[in-house]
Amino acid sequence: MTEVYIEKGTKRVFACALDWPGWCRTAKTEEAALEALAATATRYAVFARQAKVPFNPATAATFKVVERLPGTMTTDFGAPDAQAKADRTRLAGKEAEQIASLLEAGWVVFDRVVKKAPASLRKGPRGGGRDRDEIVEHVAGAEDAFARKIGIRVKDTASRRAAILELLRGGTGPLANAEKGWPRRYAARRIAWHVIDHTWEIEDRSE
């Protein structure tokens, strides 16, 4: 059974797996968000496989809601923003390695999907949406902002990602546990969600 928390805004609800960074889905209701999360278990398994972390989609899609949190304007905009109580707990050892490996897998799969995708992606029903290279630029820019939340200020994408992984695995850093910074568990989940969400977007919109 997978432990999840619910983040409820006024327009959107997120269901996020606590121990599986990036496995978060949104909908208009809690029930629909949990259904959306379950529906992507097989897709998330690709990242777990890349990280060499055992993950059974059939059993993982059985959920236990352990916390319900109020959302924010960011939630309604379309991004998970709330920090669960578990995010403030110590992260070390094999657990830290697993979480870092899952985030790293997100980047590896994203880069692989980008290489296979056409430069021009299929537009949405209203003709909107970024093309491939614009998404890559957006993901890198967002990661730069996310990294600053844990005290990392590195412009080069590869170096920045390496620094993030080192912080997650080692548990040290200027803002890793600071009151105004992001806890490492939350940082891993938020960064992984963003890259995985855009990985699936590129896959879905590739011609």
Side-chain angles (χ1 to χ4, degrees), residues 72 76 94 131-132 195:
T72 65
D76 288 332
K94 291 182 179 180
D131 283 326
R132 182 198 62 196
V195 72

Side-chain angles (χ1 to χ4, degrees), residues 49-70:
R49 195 158 51 244
Q50 176 65 42
K52 295 181 173 57
V53 176
F55 180 88
N56 185 332
T59 55
T62 302
F63 304 123
K64 177 182 179 182
V65 177
V66 296
E67 191 173 4
R68 289 179 173 84
L69 300 165

Side-chain angles (χ1 to χ4, degrees), residues 130-200:
R130 300 180 181 92
D131 283 326
R132 182 198 62 196
D133 294 346
E134 292 173 327
I135 292 176
V136 172
E137 184 178 356
H138 166 70
V139 168
E143 285 176 1
D144 183 34
F146 296 158
R148 291 170 183 268
K149 292 288 189 178
I150 50 175
I152 295 171
R153 298 175 182 273
V154 181
K155 283 296 182 183
D156 175 69
T157 298
S159 299
R160 181 173 58 249
R161 289 176 174 179
I164 292 170
L165 293 175
E166 183 180 2
L167 174 60
L168 291 175
R169 289 181 167 121
T172 60
L175 291 179
N177 296 302
E179 195 173 309
K180 294 184 179 180
W182 281 359
R184 286 182 295 142
R185 291 176 188 274
Y186 175 78
R189 185 165 59 251
R190 178 66 179 274
I191 297 169
W193 167 79
H194 193 250
V195 72
I196 289 174
D197 194 58
H198 284 297
T199 299
W200 291 344

Side-chain angles (χ1 to χ4, degrees), residues 6-37:
I6 299 296
E7 178 180 332
K8 186 175 182 180
T10 58
K11 298 178 181 178
R12 290 177 181 263
V13 178
F14 272 91
C16 298
L18 278 169
D19 297 326
W20 298 100
W23 195 19
C24 299
R25 290 288 91 189
T26 185
K28 292 184 178 181
T29 66
E30 177 177 326
E31 181 180 21
L34 288 168
E35 289 175 356
L37 193 65

